[in-house]
Amino acid sequence: MVESARQRRTLWGVATLRTLRAHWALAELGLAYETRPVRSRSGETQTPEYLSRVNPRGKIPVLVEDGVCIAESGAILNYLADRYGGDRGFAPRPGTPERAIHDQWCFFAATELDATSLYILRRHDDLKEIYGAAPVATQSAREYYDRQVRVVAEALADGRPHLLGDTMSAADIMMTSVLDWARSCEIELPEPLVNYRARHRERPAYRTATEANAPPSPG
Ligand SMILES: N[C@@H](CCC(=O)N[C@@H](CS)C(=O)NCC(=O)O)C(=O)O
């Protein structure tokens, strides 16, 4: 069972916080897979073969299962949760109010905290040689992140261990990754988020995924 699963499940992408999300979900669910250690900005995501066979958008991570290529880290997590989460409740059942709240946190992390805030910082500060410097935009992105992340701190203020309460879900992977990313940009987090982040980083699956996401660099 594990061997056949290994043959048909491949994750493309390592070494970024977005690829970590997919490695972490696979580790939480105990799923066997092969890793293709493709890195961002290495040229490997832009080859004709990658663009035609894996992801025409030229991005990682991509999960390939049963010949289907699934891009977008949030979509990969929700797919894995629905297909393999079972009774464990890695995402609540689709069509329930609980699932709507779960998806709300996933989209919030992916759009407001990742794409609208942290990715602006990354592109127009760290990678300004490629994307151009934009100091006003990056300052405003920092302020926006601070404002938006406060809502997450408020949601955790009742002492719940995870976003949905007692059960860890895919939404916690999305959220922890954007907190990790913020800390790598030296953004201070409110106290409930410091504890929340530490709790999730202590999970064995987080550690397994961190190792899988950091294979030795080629050459
Ligand atoms: N919204 C996408 C973003 C994917 C993305 O931008 N990935 C970056 C690395 S974190 C990438 O593949 N860049 C292409 C490259 O630099 O070659 C997701 O969450 O999966």
Side-chain angles (χ1 to χ4, degrees):
M1 160 87 185
V2 169
E3 270 320 297
S4 66
R6 181 186 287 282
Q7 280 157 14
R8 64 183 172 79
R9 189 178 300 116
T10 305
L11 180 62
W12 292 72
V14 294
T16 83
L17 282 164
R18 293 180 182 132
T19 57
L20 178 68
R21 295 169 185 163
H23 286 284
W24 187 2
L26 287 159
E28 286 287 347
L29 294 168
L31 297 169
Y33 64 104
E34 277 179 8
T35 301
R36 294 292 177 92
V38 164
R39 291 164 192 267
S40 62
R41 293 184 320 288
S42 62
E44 296 163 295
T45 59
Q46 308 302 320
T47 64
E49 196 199 359
Y50 189 85
L51 294 169
S52 64
R53 294 195 36 219
V54 184
N55 187 356
R57 290 166 292 272
K59 297 270 181 167
I60 48 172
V62 174
L63 178 73
V64 183
E65 196 171 87
D66 297 333
V68 178
C69 300
I70 308 163
E72 290 299 325
S73 53
I76 294 170
L77 266 52
N78 280 4
Y79 165 76
L80 291 172
D82 287 341
R83 185 148 184 196
Y84 302 106
D87 295 340
R88 190 204 137 133
F90 195 56
R93 205 160 42 79
T96 60
E98 292 78 14
R99 178 54 176 267
I101 300 301
H102 171 272
D103 289 353
Q104 171 192 280
W105 285 124
C106 289
F107 283 108
F108 177 76
T111 60
E112 302 302 328
L113 300 179
D114 174 329
T116 310
S117 309
L118 298 166
Y119 203 30
I120 302 289
L121 283 177
R122 177 93 178 121
R123 286 167 77 99
H124 298 294
D125 193 349
D126 303 346
L127 302 177
K128 56 178 176 278
E129 277 73 28
I130 304 173
Y131 296 107
V136 175
T138 54
Q139 180 55 31
S140 142
R142 266 180 199 277
E143 287 163 15
Y144 189 71
Y145 185 94
D146 283 346
R147 213 164 55 241
Q148 294 295 325
V149 89
R150 255 185 261 141
V151 177
V152 189
E154 281 160 21
L156 296 169
D158 62 4
R160 59 181 57 211
H162 310 290
L163 284 169
L164 299 187
D166 290 331
T167 307
M168 192 223 165
S169 69
D172 294 301
I173 292 183
M174 293 297 290
M175 196 58 74
T176 303
S177 76
V178 288
L179 301 179
D180 280 355
W181 191 349
R183 286 303 302 132
S184 75
C185 301
E186 293 176 5
I187 293 174
E188 294 297 330
L189 300 173
E191 199 55 35
L193 296 184
V194 173
N195 299 333
Y196 169 87
R197 174 173 174 248
R199 188 159 49 244
H200 289 88
R201 286 164 59 91
E202 277 161 14
R203 294 179 72 84
Y206 179 92
R207 294 189 187 159
T208 303
T210 302
E211 280 170 30
N213 195 43
S217 297

